[in-house]
């Protein structure tokens, strides 16, 4: 019963948010195509909200259980980064605890220096290549200190793109 009431509350909260957004956009005279993009974005963002709630839940678990969950749900990209693959379990767990999740709309340009990105869902274009779910870019960004050595991390979202980000500032 508790889980059911929690899900009902989550669903009602989301419906209220959609209603408030629709009212806001109607009052402001937002064009139909923009309204559609905003509603689509809000629907797509449900997995980001879920990810954040899962992070809160992890905080309540023991370190061993946290590690087991984090590694089993992120192993598809942890193994792609040599300094994570060779790092201790404690090291990688601490790093994963400071990751953030973001959602970008179709055609949105994003990417910041000194940031590692993992594409959780969607398609993006970077330097003439199409990157798909599970691909990683910016691995070197966490290790480089010279601005002259930085490569552009800028990408264009071809679909709604959900990414996990690790900013070097969070490691210092």
């Amino acid at each position: 019963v508790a889980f059911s009431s929690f899900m009902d509350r989550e669903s009602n909260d989301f419906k209220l948010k959609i209603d408030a957004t629709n009212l806001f956009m109607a009052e402001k005279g937002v064009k139909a195509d923009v309204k559609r993009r905003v509603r689509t974005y809000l629907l797509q963002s449900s997995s980001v909200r879920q990810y954040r709630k899962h992070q809160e839940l992890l905080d309540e678990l023991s370190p061993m259980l946290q590690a087991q969950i984090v590694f089993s749900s992120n192993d598809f990209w942890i193994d792609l980064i040599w300094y994570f693959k060779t790092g201790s379990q404690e090291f990688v767990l601490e790093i994963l605890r400071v990751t953030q999740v973001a959602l970008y709309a179709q055609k949105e340009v994003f990417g910041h220096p000194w940031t590692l990105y993992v594409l959780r869902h969607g398609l993006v274009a970077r330097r003439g290549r199409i990157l798909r779910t599970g691909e990683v870019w910016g691995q070197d960004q966490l290790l480089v200190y010279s601005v002259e050595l930085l490569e552009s991390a800028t990408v264009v979202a071809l679909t709604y793109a959900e990414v996990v980000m690790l900013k070097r500032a969070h490691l210092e």
Side-chain angles (χ1 to χ4, degrees):
V1 174
F3 179 75
S4 175
S5 64
F6 172 76
M7 293 306 293
D8 289 343
R9 185 180 47 180
E10 290 286 310
S11 178
N12 286 338
D13 288 349
F14 183 71
K15 288 175 185 172
L16 289 172
K17 186 177 197 172
I18 292 288
D19 288 344
T21 303
N22 286 333
L23 181 61
F24 167 77
M25 290 189 296
E27 289 174 356
K28 297 296 181 186
V30 175
K31 294 179 182 177
D33 63 320
V34 175
K35 287 180 183 179
R36 186 175 50 258
R37 290 190 76 211
V38 168
R39 283 191 290 268
T40 302
Y41 181 89
L42 290 174
L43 289 169
Q44 293 289 327
S45 69
S46 65
S47 62
V48 172
R49 288 190 304 280
Q50 187 178 37
Y51 182 90
R52 290 179 182 145
K53 289 191 184 313
H54 290 168
Q55 291 295 92
E56 292 173 15
L57 174 64
L58 278 175
D59 290 339
E60 297 181 23
L61 299 176
S62 72
M64 182 189 74
L65 291 174
Q66 287 179 14
Q68 289 175 342
I69 289 174
V70 166
F71 282 98
S72 67
S73 61
N74 291 287
D75 62 347
F76 72 96
W77 65 269
I78 291 172
D79 289 340
L80 298 175
I81 303 168
W82 66 267
Y83 49 87
F84 286 174
K85 191 158 68 170
T86 59
S88 71
Q89 190 173 18
E90 294 80 14
F91 166 75
V92 176
L93 182 60
E94 285 304 311
I95 286 182
L96 292 176
R97 293 179 62 69
V98 296
T99 59
Q100 299 172 323
V101 176
L103 179 69
Y104 295 95
Q106 187 176 19
K107 299 180 185 174
E108 193 165 348
V109 177
F110 66 96
H112 302 284
W114 294 295
T115 304
L116 166 76
Y117 291 92
V118 179
L119 188 58
R120 282 177 42 101
H121 301 289
L123 297 171
V124 299
R126 178 173 188 254
R127 302 175 71 198
R129 284 191 55 228
I130 305 295
L131 304 180
R132 294 171 173 73
T133 298
E135 296 204 55
V136 178
W137 69 99
Q139 300 92 315
D140 57 331
Q141 301 282 322
L142 298 180
L143 305 176
V144 173
Y145 280 87
S146 172
V147 174
E148 291 82 23
L149 296 175
L150 281 175
E151 284 188 0
S152 173
T154 304
V155 298
V156 178
L158 301 175
T159 63
Y160 282 84
E162 182 181 320
V163 296
V164 175
M165 301 180 299
L166 177 61
K167 298 179 180 185
R168 189 172 76 199
H170 292 143
L171 302 176
E172 296 174 336

